[in-house]
Amino acid sequence: MKKAVILLSGGLDSTTCMAVAKAEGYELYPISFDYGQKHDRELALASKIAEHYSAAEHRVIKMQNIGGSALTDSDIEVPEYSEDGGVPVTYVPARNLLFLSYALGYAEVVGADAIFIGVSSVDYSGYPDCRPEFIDAFRKMVEVGTVAGLEGNPIEIVTPLIDLSKAETVKLGVKLGAPYEYTTSCYNGEEEACGVCDSCVLRLRGFQEAGIEDPIAYKKLT
C-alpha cells in the first residue's frame, strides 16, 4: 500500500487532508508538532483524529520555541479578527518550512510516497509560507536534497486545498466524512473556541458559506 505523511495540526484543514489521503488509499502517517504554542489542545485533538483514522503511526515532534508570534510568545496577545491586511502577528516564522522538513525526513524513513499539507492560496491569512510559490520552492528542494529525488522519484508534496476557499474545504471534508467535531481552529486553545480570532472567524465564515453547521462550540458567534 502506498504511504502518506500528513501534517496534522488538529485543525480543519489538516483533518480534511487526512480525509483526502484516506480516500485516495494511502496508509496514513500523520505528524504533529509541539512548537511552543500556548496551548496543547490541538495536539490532543490531533491524536484523537489519528486514532479515528487508524493511522499506522502518529509522531509528535518537540521543537524549541523561538517566539516571535502571538501563538508562541506570552508577551504578544492573540488579536481579534481584522481585515487590515499584511502579515498578522499570529504568523510563526518559518513554521511550514520546518514542519515540511521534518515531514520529509520522516517520509524518507517510512518510505512514504507523498506528504500532504493543508495550505490554501485562497484563504491563507497572509502567511507567506502558505502560498504556491513556497510549495513550489520546497518541491525543488525535495528534488535536489533527498535520495529519492536524486534517484528521479521525489516524494510528492500534495496540497489538495491549495485552490479551495474555506467553504469548499468544508464541503469536501463533509463529503469525505472528516470528523470535524474533533477539530479546533481557535488560536486561544480553550475548550470552547473564542469565535473572534482570525482563525475562528475564517472557519465560521467557511461553514456559513457552505450552508453547514459547525459541530464545535464557540463562546461567541460573529
Side-chain angles (χ1 to χ4, degrees):
M1 178 183 289
K2 57 185 181 178
K3 300 175 181 180
V5 172
I6 300 93
L7 272 68
L8 181 64
S9 69
L12 183 144
D13 294 336
S14 65
T15 301
T16 306
C17 283
M18 282 278 282
V20 172
K22 180 71 172 181
E24 293 184 0
Y26 286 94
E27 185 176 33
L28 305 177
Y29 288 80
I31 186 170
S32 303
F33 297 89
D34 179 351
Y35 58 94
Q37 57 268 58
K38 293 176 181 177
H39 62 84
D40 59 5
R41 179 167 172 75
E42 61 182 17
L43 291 175
L45 291 174
S47 295
K48 198 168 186 177
I49 293 160
E51 183 178 355
H52 172 87
Y53 279 107
S54 300
E57 182 180 24
H58 178 212
R59 288 281 185 97
V60 178
I61 305 298
K62 176 75 173 179
M63 299 171 62
Q64 180 68 42
N65 176 17
I66 61 172
S69 168
L71 302 190
T72 60
D73 194 324
S74 59
D75 293 328
I76 306 175
E77 291 188 7
V78 173
E80 293 190 2
Y81 177 74
S82 171
E83 295 185 354
D84 290 342
V87 180
V89 296
T90 51
Y91 165 66
V92 180
R95 178 171 60 178
N96 282 344
L97 176 60
L98 294 170
F99 287 4
L100 280 170
S101 296
Y102 272 101
L104 181 60
Y106 183 39
E108 285 204 285
V109 169
V110 301
D113 306 275
I115 297 169
F116 282 69
I117 180 172
V119 294
S120 170
S121 63
V122 178
D123 183 10
Y124 66 98
S125 299
Y127 298 162
D129 56 357
C130 289
R131 299 173 303 144
E133 296 92 333
F134 168 75
I135 296 298
D136 289 342
F138 194 85
R139 287 183 176 125
K140 180 62 177 177
M141 190 280 295
V142 173
E143 291 177 5
V144 302
T146 63
V147 171
L150 291 177
E151 292 177 346
N153 189 32
I155 296 163
E156 186 179 4
I157 307 300
V158 185
T159 56
L161 315 182
I162 195 72
D163 294 319
L164 302 186
S165 68
K166 194 67 74 180
E168 291 169 331
T169 294
V170 168
K171 289 179 180 178
L172 174 62
V174 169
K175 178 182 177 181
L176 296 176
Y180 286 151
E181 67 274 16
Y182 296 154
T183 65
T184 183
S185 299
C186 183
Y187 288 148
N188 289 295
E190 297 181 12
E191 187 170 348
E192 287 188 329
C194 72
V196 296
C197 70
D198 282 4
S199 189
C200 277
V201 170
L202 293 174
R203 174 180 173 133
L204 282 166
R205 183 180 296 169
F207 273 97
Q208 290 165 359
E209 292 176 356
I212 297 170
E213 184 177 356
D214 191 338
I216 71 169
Y218 289 86
K219 289 182 177 179
K220 182 178 180 180
L221 295 175
T222 55

